């Protein structure tokens, strides 16, 4: 059994990040939760649907996506979402 105390509210589809000192999760309605744990991985950057610790890898992922070099998941390959054409916003760090 795992219990987490999280003194934050979250809407459907929202992600909460906790520091590991929590010990209980309470819900006001039925929900599904996914827990990830481990040592901190360092600073991350997000660009469109890609997350990496390297801005160069993000640029390569964008180029690979645009060129069709990324395999779509077998169970989710019915639709291809093109990379946005507008100029990229500055890559923002994630913690």
């Amino acid at each position: 059994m795992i219990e987490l105390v999280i003194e934050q509210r979250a809407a459907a589809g929202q992600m909460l990040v906790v520091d590991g000192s929590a010990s209980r999760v309470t819900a006001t309605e039925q929900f599904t939760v996914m827990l990830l744990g481990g040592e901190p991985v360092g600073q991350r950057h997000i660009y469109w649907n890609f997350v990496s610790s390297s801005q160069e890898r993000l640029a390569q992922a964008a180029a690979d996506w645009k060129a069709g070099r990324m395999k779509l998941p077998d169970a989710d390959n019915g639709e291809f979402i093109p990379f946005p054409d507008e100029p990229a916003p500055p890559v923002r760090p994630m913690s």
Side-chain angles (χ1 to χ4, degrees):
M1 172 193 263
I2 296 174
E3 286 188 5
L4 298 173
V5 171
I6 301 174
E7 296 185 9
Q8 300 177 51
R9 292 189 162 271
Q14 184 180 5
M15 180 174 77
L16 296 177
V17 177
V18 296
D19 66 5
S21 62
S23 64
R24 184 179 27 214
V25 170
T26 344
T28 57
E29 58 189 73
Q30 186 175 350
F31 71 100
T32 301
V33 64
M34 181 175 81
L35 300 173
L36 300 173
E39 294 298 316
V41 294
Q43 186 178 41
R44 294 286 190 237
H45 306 278
I46 186 168
Y47 178 40
W48 191 54
N49 286 338
F50 306 117
V51 178
S52 177
S53 56
S54 161
Q55 292 183 0
E56 292 77 21
R57 288 184 72 189
L58 288 176
Q60 184 63 55
D64 289 345
W65 184 264
K66 289 176 185 179
R69 292 186 294 255
M70 280 191 187
K71 181 183 179 305
L72 296 175
D74 291 336
D76 189 16
N77 61 2
E79 178 183 9
F80 177 79
I81 299 172
F83 198 85
D85 286 334
E86 64 268 2
V91 176
R92 66 181 194 269
M94 297 176 61
S95 52

